[in-house]
Amino acid sequence: MDFSFKKCSSLNIGIELELFIVDSTTYKLKRVRDKIFEVIPQKYSKYLKKEYFQSIIEIVSPVFNSLDEIAPFFDKIFNQLKNAAKIYDAKIIGLGTHPFAKITDAKPTPDKRYEKLKNELQMVLDRFLIFGMHIHIGLPDEVAAVNVHNHTLKYMPLMLALSTSSPFFEGKNTGLHSYRSLIFENLPRGGVPEYLDNYEDFINSTKLLYHHNFIEKYNDLWWDVRIRPDYGTVELRICDSTNNINRILAITALYYLIAKNFCNKKCEKLFYPVLKQNKWNAIRYSLDGNFILNDKKEKINTLIKALIEKHSDTIDNKYLQIINDYAENKSISYKLVENYNKFNNLLNLCKLGEI
């Protein structure tokens, strides 16, 4: 395992988005992923990957050199997926959980790595009928990576709150805006990681896990934010999936703003109980949650707006406006709950997640 940090062109962007496939009439999970892949031209299908369950598609973007490249890519690949799915009477959904599917409805993808994970994680892996979005930011060296890791650790509940889309699981209103986040925390190396004093902290902890055969590669670390030395990035992994390209832009632009402003600034020591509480507040209340910042408490949506106002010279005004718009409006989780309370129809909720 190579622990050297692969120096990356500064602030390049990569996005991974997990989506699920449903029948176009019943909205039940549908296992036509491989057929969909076959009919999509190779210039697009090369960005599509299999996941643990056969009804999941992961989009793995090319490396973006700027925020301006993101929307055109997702617009094209969403259209390819929609058109291909239509051939097989299917639709593609971007939500953090399927609102009513049972874990028994999902079938695993035959794969040696997944079989090994199943042997280790047992029922925990069976419950992973969840869908997220991961964002990579490229950084020039390990010092910048540690700085961005720690500042992301501090602010990642803001990005989670912008993304929340999983209040329902197995047909039940969980009372949370991101139930997906709690399922993910069941992993032995998942959830909120620790603050890093330096890059050696990261190396030493990872090396112990590797040398004692608990991990084989960086993919086996599932923290909400993780350094990826092999890519030269820091990866934000806390977000729920989404079907909305502008929301992808808002979350990515906010993460980009944080990385650009803090890559050369050491983050103050962060108390783990506070990090956990701030994440819980986003899970439970989304943008209306409280956030502990130093000795103050602020609403998450207020903090997002204050952050972009303070660093308004970092990115183009159009992206600041997109972030602000989504901070002021409700995340999809609110709309899912409101729709269910009004119509008492779980099938409607899948429709709200169509790409």
Side-chain angles (χ1 to χ4, degrees):
M1 197 170 189
D2 185 1
F3 293 97
S4 59
F5 189 82
K6 178 183 176 182
K7 294 173 173 57
C8 184
S9 296
S10 187
L11 301 178
N12 282 351
I13 305 161
I15 299 172
E16 301 160 9
L17 184 69
E18 296 165 345
L19 306 167
F20 59 94
I21 310 162
V22 298
D23 182 87
S24 58
T25 302
T26 66
Y27 284 84
K28 293 180 179 179
L29 292 173
K30 194 164 189 176
R31 296 191 294 276
V32 291
R33 178 192 59 202
D34 294 348
K35 292 180 179 179
I36 288 173
F37 283 6
E38 288 173 0
V39 299
I40 292 178
Q42 199 273 336
K43 67 179 291 188
Y44 297 107
S45 65
K46 66 182 180 181
Y47 299 116
L48 303 175
K49 306 295 181 185
K50 297 179 180 181
E51 265 292 342
Y52 178 62
F53 287 119
Q54 294 179 32
S55 301
I56 304 177
I57 291 173
E58 182 179 31
I59 299 172
V60 180
S61 81
V63 175
F64 301 121
N65 293 310
S66 73
L67 292 167
D68 291 339
E69 298 175 9
I70 295 172
F73 169 78
F74 277 99
D75 184 57
K76 289 175 184 175
I77 204 157
F78 274 15
N79 281 327
Q80 289 290 327
L81 284 168
K82 283 189 289 187
N83 292 335
K86 193 179 298 183
I87 297 171
Y88 300 104
D89 296 318
K91 292 187 176 181
I92 310 294
I93 310 295
L95 295 171
T97 53
H98 188 296
F100 61 84
K102 305 293 184 183
I103 56 176
T104 52
D105 298 336
K107 302 299 179 186
T109 299
D111 181 272
K112 288 184 178 179
R113 179 171 183 267
Y114 293 145
E115 289 169 6
K116 186 174 181 179
L117 286 173
K118 169 63 176 174
N119 183 59
E120 169 65 20
L121 298 172
Q122 295 294 309
M123 186 177 175
V124 171
L125 192 60
D126 291 338
R127 294 184 61 77
F128 262 63
L129 195 57
I130 56 176
F131 319 97
M133 179 172 69
H134 310 155
I135 306 169
H136 292 258
I137 298 288
L139 295 160
D141 55 48
E142 57 269 20
V143 175
V146 169
N147 288 340
V148 172
H149 173 277
N150 289 336
H151 280 98
T152 304
L153 191 57
K154 177 179 179 179
Y155 289 117
M156 63 187 183
L158 279 58
M159 278 77 81
L160 173 59
L162 286 170
S163 77
T164 54
S165 63
S166 55
F168 289 85
F169 191 72
E170 292 196 317
K172 296 179 181 178
N173 182 353
T174 66
L176 310 176
H177 283 268
S178 178
Y179 189 68
R180 167 193 163 273
S181 294
L182 287 193
I183 293 178
F184 218 94
E185 288 191 347
N186 287 308
L187 290 173
R189 300 173 298 278
V192 179
E194 291 187 334
Y195 174 93
L196 298 173
D197 284 314
N198 47 53
Y199 193 65
E200 286 68 34
D201 273 2
F202 169 76
I203 292 175
N204 292 336
S205 63
T206 306
K207 191 178 289 185
L208 279 171
L209 293 169
Y210 176 70
H211 283 167
H212 291 287
N213 300 315
F214 291 108
I215 64 171
E216 295 180 357
K217 50 188 178 179
Y218 294 112
N219 277 0
D220 298 325
L221 301 172
W222 303 301
W223 307 116
D224 291 336
V225 55
R226 68 182 179 189
I227 296 176
R228 286 299 300 260
D230 49 339
Y231 293 160
T233 67
V234 173
E235 180 186 4
L236 174 71
R237 299 170 48 81
I238 199 171
C239 295
D240 282 358
S241 183
T242 182
N243 65 330
N244 184 289
I245 294 174
N246 273 345
R247 191 175 294 279
I248 293 172
L249 278 174
I251 295 164
T252 306
L254 181 58
Y255 183 34
Y256 182 92
L257 179 148
I258 290 166
K260 188 171 183 179
N261 277 287
F262 297 116
C263 62
N264 294 317
K265 298 176 184 176
K266 187 174 177 65
C267 184
E268 73 277 13
K269 185 75 175 182
L270 303 170
F271 295 115
Y272 196 76
V274 175
L275 295 173
K276 291 281 286 183
Q277 184 65 54
N278 282 341
K279 181 184 176 183
W280 169 257
N281 294 346
I283 289 171
R284 175 64 181 87
Y285 300 105
S286 189
L287 291 164
D288 289 324
N290 287 311
F291 190 97
I292 301 168
L293 184 63
N294 302 322
D295 59 343
K296 297 179 181 178
K297 183 174 71 174
E298 294 188 55
K299 290 287 187 184
I300 289 175
N301 55 0
T302 301
L303 182 57
I304 293 172
K305 290 185 280 187
L307 195 62
I308 63 173
E309 182 177 350
K310 183 176 181 180
H311 302 290
S312 60
D313 59 341
T314 303
I315 57 177
D316 190 282
N317 281 337
K318 66 181 177 182
Y319 296 114
L320 294 173
Q321 188 59 54
I322 291 172
I323 298 169
N324 188 74
D325 289 346
Y326 280 94
E328 287 188 341
N329 291 300
K330 295 179 178 180
S331 294
I332 188 67
S333 52
Y334 292 93
K335 297 173 185 177
L336 293 170
V337 172
E338 288 172 359
N339 187 281
Y340 183 73
N341 288 340
K342 185 175 182 179
F343 299 108
N344 195 31
N345 188 326
L346 289 166
L347 190 145
N348 281 349
L349 308 187
C350 276
K351 293 180 180 179
L352 290 175
E354 291 179 24
I355 64 171

